[in-house]
Amino acid sequence: PRGDSKMLDTCIAFDDWIADTCVVDEEGMPLRVYRGEHGDTHLPVHSRLASISFGTREAANAYATNPNDTYDCAQNPRVMAAYLSIRKPLINNPNDPFIDFPILASAIGAENARNVFVKFGDYLYNTDNWASNFEMYESVDQVPLNEMDGLYLDLYPLLDDPSVVALLKANGFDGAIHAGAGRTAREPEYKVFSADQI
């Protein structure tokens, strides 16, 4: 019947779209993930950030009902379930919330990575690593490029920044899989760079 043919075409299209995704469960099958949102919008996905974040159902519920901005009111809270197509993530480690300088340098080039680390230096200064190994420098921009390999910082602020995401996209990356921070500490977060990946 005609209806069955249309459903088969839809299934084939989904299989092609989800093929090679890194967002999978322990058995290698596509993993259903969740996004929590709030606010009045007619868009299917609403984000003020450069990447679109998904995680566990519990994390999504928390984001939908408790905005990060304390001055925000959670109007029209909602949680969506989705599958994601992330084929070339910057990082594919749901247990690690950090990005090491050498990894970012190999992704976008050493000079670009240095500029990013300088821009997000505030995320370095209060770490044990900075205090133990880089205390002789007043700021990241004083660290010689050949000594930056020992630096790392939280990944999430980089993925919220449009200029960093633009650099990653220009180098072929389409997202990241990492551990969350703050209220989602130790929970996996899945970030896509385009709504077409949802």
Side-chain angles (χ1 to χ4, degrees), residues 10-146:
T10 300
C11 289
I12 291 170
F14 176 78
D15 287 347
D16 291 343
W17 175 83
I18 201 73
D20 301 321
T21 186
C22 294
V23 185
V24 295
D25 62 18
E26 300 81 20
E27 297 172 2
M29 299 300 294
L31 177 67
R32 185 181 307 186
V33 293
Y34 300 86
R35 176 171 176 76
E37 295 187 355
H38 60 86
D40 292 325
T41 180
H42 299 292
L43 299 172
V45 177
H46 171 67
S47 180
R48 298 176 193 158
L49 305 173
S51 60
I52 306 167
S53 183
F54 289 79
T56 64
R57 184 191 310 249
E58 295 76 21
N61 188 55
Y63 282 121
T65 56
N66 300 298
N68 283 340
D69 185 343
T70 56
Y71 298 106
D72 242 350
C73 180
Q75 296 179 355
N76 192 22
R78 58 203 172 276
V79 171
M80 71 162 58
Y83 293 103
L84 304 178
S85 178
I86 300 178
R87 294 179 177 171
K88 188 178 177 186
L90 170 64
I91 287 180
N92 185 3
N93 186 348
N95 300 310
D96 190 354
F98 302 108
I99 178 86
D100 297 333
F101 180 83
I103 293 173
L104 190 62
S106 70
I108 61 174
E111 283 300 326
N112 285 330
R114 186 177 199 286
N115 292 337
V116 169
F117 268 62
V118 168
K119 181 177 183 177
F120 291 93
D122 287 344
Y123 290 88
L124 291 167
Y125 301 138
N126 294 321
T127 65
D128 290 339
N129 182 44
W130 183 266
S132 299
N133 302 308
F134 297 92
E135 74 281 352
M136 69 286 294
Y137 301 109
E138 290 182 19
S139 63
V140 187
D141 57 344
Q142 294 179 351
V143 179
L145 186 58
N146 65 344

Side-chain angles (χ1 to χ4, degrees), residues 155-177:
L155 179 56
Y156 79 88
L158 279 60
L159 299 175
D160 291 346
D161 185 271
S163 63
V164 176
V165 169
L167 275 170
L168 291 169
K169 288 171 75 170
N171 283 278
F173 296 94
D174 62 354
I177 300 169

